[in-house]
Amino acid sequence: MPAEKPLTARSVKPAKPAPESLKIVKDAVCTFCGCVCDDIELHVDGLKIVEAKRACVLGTSWFLNHEIEDRAACYIEGRPATVDEGIQRAAAILLQAKYPLIYGMSDTTVESQRVVVAIGDWIGANVDTTTSVCHGPSGMAFQGVGEVTASLGEIRNRGDLIIFWGANPAESHPRHFTRYSLMPKGMFVPNGRKDRTCVLIDVRKTKSARTADIFLQIKPRCDFEALWTLRALAKGITLDPRQVEEDTGQPLSVWQDLMDRMKAARFGVFFFGMGLTMTRGKHSNTEALLALTRDMNKYTRFVVRANRGHGNVSGADNVVTWRTGYPFGVNLGRGYPRFNPGEYTASDVLARGEADAALIVASDPMANFSEPAREHLKRIPYIAMDPKETPTTRQATVAFTVAACGINVAGTVYRMDDVPIPLRPAFESPHPSDYTILKGIERRIREQQAATAASNARRPSLRPA
């Protein structure tokens, strides 16, 4: 019998979890970006996700790096406390405020978002979402011009001319090309990529440009001029070639060729990103793109869609619009909603030092707001909810550690095309969901307001008989 081979450090393989110990969650939903891919297969070992099939590089990192942090469920002024104590303190902070601010909501469920807006209504708060710092100009443009649009499923089955404007999905939405826009075979594009023409318009050559059939590099801060050039060509208006090239960075012949392709398309699609919304012109840029899409429907079918970033930022816009009539930056202080971006948006309210308390849900303004806004937020009492410790939770008067949306908590989120997707969580978290905490805060606020109203009713009237 041959001698057994001695075990060495190199020959010993790490033990894999037994198959029976793995839990497999099929059709799980990735809430990292606005694509909200719902075909992920998760392999779960206890409280750890060990494999995420079909997830992109961003989704894989989101799932595999998720860990339950060894933190208390609630901290009050940096000291561990019970959740009930935190709810009472949070309600007291919001009730005592004269100008409370509510912000965030893009990384939580629709069910939680509804409660957040309800709290804002009860206390007369300023309600804002992360849309105000990304696609806020789009929300303003939608209300001014309207939107000719379609679901990603319709685009997948029909779109034969795909135009990306100010967007870089290769890095921001890695599965966008393969799942929705360019690669998939559809009912009316049976050959997939071969049946589609891809155009990318941007101020620099991004990784997405490698995928495009046509790349148009325009002058920075000149999106508005380029869009109005196309609008003029769509209407047959004669333009000065020298002026067009000076204004856009591309010759008139290039824009005419693009317009000819757009008119010849059977189903054209514009996808636009923050490269359009957060440069000079902002909502005017988006209005021009929406108007161009509307113009093109005189010749063929054309639609437009915003490439949204966070997993449920579309849900936040929808919920706030349902409840108030406006998508973000809404003030409820007078008992009815008022919409005015720049006046009621969170970064501006904080930078001017107006808010005297805040409720931050699933967001981290301490990491990305301006310095004046961050400094004022430090000076006021505020409540923060997040699955992880962040700069915002560290400074919070009351900080709740909550279960992660999609991984630990069920509910509903909205894809970037406003299609609702139900979540299939991988495992439960020892921490409560933000929905549970928000419902507790709302209940406490209503109890306190009812008690105050009853007390005032019992007071003797000072009016003469």
Side-chain angles (χ1 to χ4, degrees), residues 277-345:
T277 65
M278 299 308 288
T279 186
R280 189 188 71 159
K282 295 196 174 181
H283 68 278
S284 297
N285 294 340
T286 310
E287 285 178 355
L289 181 61
L290 296 175
L292 173 61
T293 307
R294 183 183 60 200
D295 295 343
M296 292 308 303
N297 277 273
K298 296 178 181 178
Y299 307 99
T300 184
R301 176 64 171 158
F302 237 92
V303 299
V304 62
R305 276 253 67 104
N307 266 12
R308 306 305 301 272
H310 294 282
N312 198 26
V313 67
S314 294
D317 289 356
N318 276 278
V319 170
V320 177
T321 303
W322 298 340
R323 307 302 294 269
T324 70
Y326 305 104
F328 67 97
V330 184
N331 182 275
L332 300 169
R334 292 186 180 176
Y336 59 87
R338 291 179 293 162
F339 174 64
N340 194 5
E343 182 178 4
Y344 301 136
T345 39

Side-chain angles (χ1 to χ4, degrees), residues 62-110:
W62 162 249
F63 283 119
L64 269 56
N65 291 330
H66 176 75
E67 294 181 355
I68 303 296
E69 292 192 354
D70 185 18
R71 288 171 48 82
C74 177
Y75 291 87
I76 299 178
E77 296 180 350
R79 296 185 295 274
T82 66
V83 171
D84 287 340
E85 291 172 340
I87 288 174
Q88 291 185 18
R89 182 67 179 275
I93 289 172
L94 296 175
L95 282 168
Q96 292 168 7
K98 294 181 179 179
Y99 194 1
L101 169 68
I102 295 177
Y103 176 73
M105 295 185 276
S106 59
D107 285 316
T108 187
T109 63
V110 165

Side-chain angles (χ1 to χ4, degrees), residues 146-323:
E147 182 184 18
V148 183
T149 191
S151 70
L152 292 177
E154 189 173 2
I155 292 169
R156 173 192 176 107
N157 281 290
R158 295 178 179 272
D160 62 334
L161 176 61
I162 313 297
I163 303 175
F164 292 94
W165 199 305
N168 182 20
E171 295 184 272
S172 61
H173 303 80
R175 295 191 76 196
H176 198 289
F177 290 151
T178 58
R179 184 168 165 79
Y180 299 117
S181 54
L182 292 187
M183 308 303 181
K185 297 178 180 180
M187 186 179 299
F188 299 97
V189 279
N191 298 314
R193 183 66 179 90
K194 294 179 181 179
D195 287 338
R196 295 185 175 97
T197 300
C198 177
V199 180
L200 192 138
I201 302 171
D202 212 329
V203 298
R204 63 186 178 89
K205 196 169 186 177
T206 63
K207 288 186 177 180
S208 299
R210 302 172 188 171
T211 309
D213 300 301
I214 301 171
F215 172 62
L216 301 183
Q217 185 168 350
I218 61 175
K219 290 175 64 175
R221 299 162 60 85
C222 291
D223 301 87
F224 184 82
E225 290 83 348
L227 286 163
W228 271 86
T229 297
L230 288 172
R231 289 201 69 196
L233 293 174
K235 294 180 179 294
I237 297 174
T238 302
L239 298 175
D240 180 359
R242 185 172 51 186
Q243 187 67 50
V244 169
E245 186 166 2
E246 181 181 338
D247 288 343
T248 67
Q250 290 289 340
L252 178 60
S253 59
V254 170
W255 295 116
Q256 185 63 62
D257 176 69
L258 177 58
M259 178 50 59
D260 293 341
R261 292 174 183 272
M262 290 167 63
K263 288 183 177 180
R266 290 175 298 169
F267 193 103
V269 184
F270 280 116
F271 285 107
F272 67 98
M274 289 175 59
L276 182 70
T277 65
M278 299 308 288
T279 186
R280 189 188 71 159
K282 295 196 174 181
H283 68 278
S284 297
N285 294 340
T286 310
E287 285 178 355
L289 181 61
L290 296 175
L292 173 61
T293 307
R294 183 183 60 200
D295 295 343
M296 292 308 303
N297 277 273
K298 296 178 181 178
Y299 307 99
T300 184
R301 176 64 171 158
F302 237 92
V303 299
V304 62
R305 276 253 67 104
N307 266 12
R308 306 305 301 272
H310 294 282
N312 198 26
V313 67
S314 294
D317 289 356
N318 276 278
V319 170
V320 177
T321 303
W322 298 340
R323 307 302 294 269

